[in-house]
Structure formats: C-alpha cells, structure tokens
Amino acid sequence: MSGDADVIVVGAGLSGLVATYELVRAGRRVIVVDQENEANLGGQAFWSLGGLFLVDSPEQRRMGIRDSAALALSDWLGSAGFDREREDHWPRRWAEAYVDFAAGEKRAYLHRLGLRVMPTVGWAERGAGSASGHGNSVPRFHLTWGTGPEVVRVFREPVLAAAARGLVTFRYRHRVDGLITEGGAAAGVRGTVLEPSAAPRGAASSREPAGEFALRAQAVVVTSGGIGGDHALVRRNWPADRLGPAPRSMITGVPAYVDGRMLGIAEEAGASLVNRDRMWHYTEGIRNWDPIWPDHAIRIIPGPSSLWLDATGRRLPAPLFPGHDTLATLRHIVSTGHDYSWFVLTRSIVEKEFALSGSEQNPDVTGKDLKLVLSRARKGAPGPVQAFLDKGEDFVVRRTLPELVAGMNAIAPGPRLDAAQVEREVVARDREASAAYSKDFQMMSVANARAYWPDRLTRVARPHRLLDPAHGPLIAVRLHLLTRKTLGGLETTLDSQVVRPGGEPFEGLYAAGEAAGFGGGGVHGYNALEGSFLGGCVFSGRAAGRAIARSLG
C-alpha cells in the first residue's frame, strides 16, 4: 500500500516517542502528528517526577529489599482487583507481562538508552493495610536521575536523529478529527491544521483553525493520552457507585491538551473503549503559585507523619494516612460532602517529609545537580517547598494552634473549623507520638517507615508532638482534589493492536500509553502501585512499535 508514511503516530508524548523509536530502528517511515507545537514534544511525561516501577533491581538489593516477580504480581493483582470477565481479559494479561518486564528487561532496556536511576528506592502507595490488598509490600519507586525530562530525552534524541535522516516527519499543530478506514482497516487520519502557536511548553494554546489535512499510512498508533485535562469528561465518566458523587471542585494535574478527544474518535470508528470509569486522581493537591496551565495543580508527595483532617476538622480514619491508599482516601473525602481536606504538621515534618511532584519542582534531580541533592539533608525546607510556604495560597503558618485554626478558617471554602475539635485531634495524636509503643496505626506506620533506613535518613521525621514548640511553627495545608490519570482506555492485545467491541482485531489500528489504559485498556485495574505510569507508556509503546514493524514485513 502506498501512503504518506508507513505508520502515523497520533500524539508526541512518551508512548508515541517510544513507538516511533522502535519503528525507526526497523527502518520504517513515520509521521508524528500532534495538536500542540514543537515545545511540547514529550508531552505530559516531561512534567513527571520520573518514577519507575522496577522489581528485584540492583538498587533494591543494595537497600536490603527482598523483592520478586511473584511478590510484585501478587501486589499488582491485589491492587487491580480485576473483576470484569470481558473488559479485564487483556488488562490481566498485560499486568502479568508488565510485571515480568519490570522484573526483567525493563531496567537494562532503559539503561542501554542512557537512563540512570537514583541509588535509593522510594516506598510509594503503601496500601490499605492488608497483605493481600492494595499497595506495595516493599519499596519499588525508582527515581530517574533527571526526572521526566530525562525519560523523554533518551527516546527523543534517537527519534530526532531519525528525523534528520528522513525517517520521521513531525506535523505539529495538526489536530486529528477522524480516522480514515478502508475495508474495515485503519488507513490514515484526517483533521484540522491549527494556527501557529508560540505558547511555551504546557501552556494552553489556540484552537483557531487554519486549514485541513489528510494523511495515509499502513498503520495508525493512537498515543494521545487520557482525559485529565477535561473536567467535564472526568465527571461524565466518574464512578459514583464506587467513589461517591463527582466533586464540584477540582484542580488540574495535567496540561489542558490532555483532553481525551482521540478516545471518542477511535470509538466512533469502531474501536473498543473499556473501563472508562476507572481513573486515578490525587487528594493532596495544592494550587501552583506560579501556574503554567489553567488551574495548575501540584501534588504534595508526603511522608507518613502529617495529621490528616477532613473539612470539618475530624481525623481521617485508619488506614487513610499520607502515602497509603490514594483512591480509598479520595472516596472518604468525597463522602464528607466537601472537596478538600487539611494536613496539620510542624516545620520539622515539612522540612524532611514534603516533596512536590513534577520535574520543575525538583530542580536538583531534574538538573542532575548532586551538590543540590545532598543539600536536602541539611536543615531547612527544599527551595520549591519553601516557595510554597512563602507564596502558596493553601499554606497557613502560625505559632500556636488557636492562631493556626483561625488562619485555616480564613481560607476554608466550606464549614468553619471548631478550634476545640481540632485541638482534641491534635492532643490525641500527640499522646501517642512520643511513646515507645502505640495503639495508633499511623504511629505504627511511621515506625515501620523509619525501619527502612533510607526513609529514616531522608523522608521520615523523628516522631514528635505537633504541639512541641521546638519543632514549630505549626503548619496547615489546604488540600484539593486534583485530576491526573485515566486508567481505562482503548482495548488492545499484547501487541498493542486495538480490538473491536466483539473482540476481533481492528486491522491497522494500535494504541499505547494512557490512551490504552497503559496497556490492554486498563492494566492497573482499579488501583495503581505508583511508578508504573511512565513504565506503562514505555512498555506499551515498545510493544506497538515492534509489532507494527513485524506486521509490515
């Protein structure tokens, strides 16, 4: 078949770059189309912290962590909770394949491309408190040296080199409005050329049309991301039966171009779109004092010590502690009838336990500045955290608890907090904080975290009373719900080939990354283990590129 290229990749994010990388390695000609400008090459992955889910890695073994593919798969399946015979067929197979990849070739594959990880391993999403349920049994969060931009770079550079050789053509500001099909097979894309834009990376851009286009190829790969930038679409797919009513107010953890348009376009063309009610949103969102995109949210990645209160000043129940079970916490907060909650903590806790998501919020690791990284061990909050303490509208810093509650009430969008109620929660927590033994599950979790020596040195503060002035001043943080990941998506085989609602292959159409639910139409099931989103983009994009290269002969 003749055409403008061998393959068209719709979306210039990480999974699109990985698929293109694999295709050009096989000598295929690729056109990459994207509705944004060249500044956005790499997509949402550029803004990520760069965490990678690896299993039984050399870094884990050096930390004394005993991990295995069997343990990781048990954690994955316990978290995913696959329960849909039809829609979870391919996601379950993808889960098994991905865990094998994470325990096997993944690290070496990325290492050969020049990617390196930090020597310590983080323990994200510790779970619901049961051995067989949600959460990571051991630390598996490997932070990329260079964060998200570095993950993008190792695929961007060989793709740009292939473009210089004439194998890759980029069509920026080309918005796909429909798939071209012939004889039931995908044969290209058509759409609108948008007016040129000089908007910086991540900023919202014009949607003013400037023309039309049509491109043809032997295969099309959809790598356009999820729905997190479109709150109306998030609410339309919101699982009210599991998470309660959709929040009235959310802030946005992804750029506006993460709009989910291609999911509907592919479905209209005959693709199977499954598990659309599964999604992953965070509860620890703060408004960016220096926003890049509309309603720009930053997620606090907290250590385990902060006291978590709902909008009425009541402590969240066990095991809804910082860093444990994201969606269970989301469900509880929504059940209160309010869309926000509070952290109450001390200066000592914020200095040691607060990290912020996003490559731009971690200039030391993103910039590969070892001296700056080592400065985190010194007293004082990291620079980006201090900037939020100084300028963030969600932060209250006061010397005494009555003053703190007054400051919280000054910015509370909902009910006024009762100072006596907040004091009861703080005093009850403080009684358990300095004891050698405790009945408080959160204090037990803090002790468990400090038993892991990297956390004790760098991520978990020594237990202390919140009302101890030696650790002050007191700090409260208003936490918003923030949109982030789409866990469902286009249903795909292990070759990333899209299938139709009846299960038969959609010839010529492939999908990868978030558009495919990170593989199969929902490899995470209902819950994610963290550090697995970028890896899912890599694994599914790799599968798509390799499968198409084989199928074209």
Side-chain angles (χ1 to χ4, degrees):
M1 176 191 292
S2 63
D4 298 288
D6 296 321
V7 183
I8 295 168
V9 174
V10 183
L14 177 60
S15 56
L17 285 175
V18 176
T20 302
Y21 165 74
E22 291 291 346
L23 286 162
V24 297
R25 288 182 68 205
R28 305 301 178 187
R29 295 178 303 120
V30 181
I31 295 175
V32 179
V33 299
D34 197 282
Q35 64 184 346
E36 298 304 318
N37 62 18
E38 185 176 2
N40 288 278
L41 184 60
Q44 190 179 338
F46 179 91
W47 300 105
S48 76
L49 188 58
L52 295 171
F53 177 91
L54 297 173
V55 177
D56 193 27
S57 68
E59 291 76 21
Q60 286 177 298
R61 293 193 291 272
R62 283 196 292 269
M63 297 293 103
I65 300 165
R66 294 184 178 182
D67 200 6
S68 68
L71 179 61
L73 183 60
S74 175
D75 286 346
W76 194 289
L77 296 178
S79 298
F82 295 126
D83 60 2
R84 297 172 178 172
E85 183 176 357
R86 163 71 181 83
E87 295 188 339
D88 283 337
H89 169 71
W90 286 114
R92 182 184 290 273
R93 294 191 62 186
W94 269 91
E96 294 166 351
Y98 180 67
V99 170
D100 282 346
F101 179 60
E105 190 184 354
K106 180 179 178 181
R107 186 181 183 280
Y109 175 75
L110 294 171
H111 195 274
R112 286 193 298 270
L113 285 160
L115 195 73
R116 301 294 183 266
V117 297
M118 298 283 282
T120 58
V121 184
W123 199 350
E125 202 64 15
R126 299 184 186 212
S130 64
S132 59
H134 171 57
N136 283 294
S137 296
V138 297
R140 296 190 177 106
F141 190 90
H142 295 68
L143 183 60
T144 298
W145 183 233
T147 69
E150 182 70 359
V151 180
V152 170
R153 181 194 68 81
V154 300
F155 292 102
R156 183 191 67 236
E157 289 185 352
V159 167
L160 291 178
R165 301 195 305 272
L167 285 176
V168 178
T169 303
F170 291 96
R171 299 289 181 91
Y172 296 110
R173 303 296 287 162
H174 281 54
R175 184 187 68 197
V176 173
D177 298 325
L179 293 174
I180 299 171
T181 59
E182 291 182 352
V189 297
R190 57 176 177 79
T192 303
V193 180
L194 303 174
E195 69 176 2
S197 170
R201 180 188 287 274
S205 63
S206 165
R207 291 295 179 261
E208 188 67 26
E212 297 179 345
F213 74 93
L215 297 167
R216 303 178 72 83
Q218 297 179 63
V220 175
V221 190
V222 178
T223 58
S224 53
I227 67 174
D230 185 337
H231 288 199
L233 196 51
V234 169
R235 290 189 177 96
R236 193 181 312 156
N237 291 301
W238 188 270
D241 58 328
R242 295 197 318 277
L243 296 181
R248 294 182 298 275
S249 174
M250 296 181 285
I251 54 179
T252 313
V254 295
Y257 58 70
V258 186
D259 57 17
R261 290 184 72 255
M262 278 304 301
L263 298 177
I265 289 167
E267 185 180 30
E268 185 178 353
S272 177
L273 180 60
V274 296
N275 300 315
R276 66 186 81 205
D277 62 317
R278 293 177 181 170
M279 51 186 71
W280 185 263
H281 306 304
Y282 289 110
T283 54
E284 311 99 329
I286 52 177
R287 292 189 181 276
N288 194 345
W289 63 268
D290 186 20
I292 296 168
W293 54 79
D295 287 326
H296 188 165
I298 298 295
R299 185 207 171 198
I300 295 171
I301 305 175
S305 301
S306 296
L307 179 65
W308 206 334
L309 305 178
D310 67 20
T312 70
R314 289 173 173 76
R315 188 178 184 183
L316 270 59
L320 306 184
F321 313 132
H324 279 66
D325 191 333
T326 294
L327 290 192
T329 306
L330 173 62
R331 180 171 58 248
H332 178 81
I333 291 171
V334 169
S335 76
T336 68
H338 303 286
D339 303 331
Y340 67 98
S341 59
W342 299 95
F343 276 167
V344 175
L345 60 152
T346 63
R347 179 77 190 192
S348 294
I349 293 172
V350 82
E351 288 182 357
K352 193 154 191 178
E353 295 196 6
F354 266 33
L356 302 173
S357 67
S359 55
E360 82 284 8
Q361 299 297 330
N362 295 272
D364 50 353
V365 183
T366 300
K368 302 181 181 179
D369 188 330
L370 182 58
K371 183 177 180 181
L372 195 57
V373 170
L374 293 175
S375 73
R376 292 195 184 203
R378 297 200 298 264
K379 186 174 175 57
V385 173
Q386 186 61 53
F388 273 91
L389 286 167
D390 295 338
K391 304 173 185 179
E393 65 182 77
D394 297 306
F395 287 74
V396 180
V397 183
R398 299 290 190 273
R399 285 289 172 187
T400 68
L401 188 58
E403 291 174 318
L404 187 76
V405 175
M408 295 162 73
N409 279 329
I411 65 170
R416 284 184 59 82
L417 294 161
D418 179 67
Q421 168 65 31
V422 174
E423 183 179 21
R424 281 194 294 272
E425 298 289 9
V426 170
V427 170
R429 181 258 185 213
D430 278 4
R431 278 198 300 266
E432 303 292 326
S434 56
Y437 306 100
S438 175
K439 69 178 181 180
D440 187 292
F441 280 1
Q442 185 173 4
M443 293 300 104
M444 294 181 194
S445 178
V446 170
N448 187 45
R450 286 180 61 81
Y452 176 49
W453 68 263
D455 273 2
R456 184 174 67 252
L457 290 178
T458 64
R459 280 288 285 155
V460 184
R462 184 186 298 274
H464 60 271
R465 293 183 299 109
L466 297 179
L467 295 181
D468 184 347
H471 293 277
L474 289 164
I475 298 166
V477 188
R478 179 180 56 185
L479 304 173
H480 306 265
L481 307 181
L482 70 92
T483 63
R484 184 60 65 86
K485 296 295 182 185
T486 310
L487 298 188
L490 297 171
E491 188 177 13
T492 61
T493 69
L494 288 178
D495 284 337
S496 288
Q497 183 169 20
V498 174
V499 302
R500 295 181 179 276
E504 64 275 16
F506 192 137
E507 294 298 329
L509 187 62
Y510 296 76
E514 194 171 355
F518 302 94
V523 66
H524 297 284
Y526 291 98
N527 288 288
L529 286 176
E530 292 284 34
S532 47
F533 296 125
L534 289 180
C537 290
V538 170
F539 188 51
S540 58
R542 176 179 180 264
R546 292 185 174 186
I548 296 169
R550 291 193 303 268
S551 70
L552 298 185

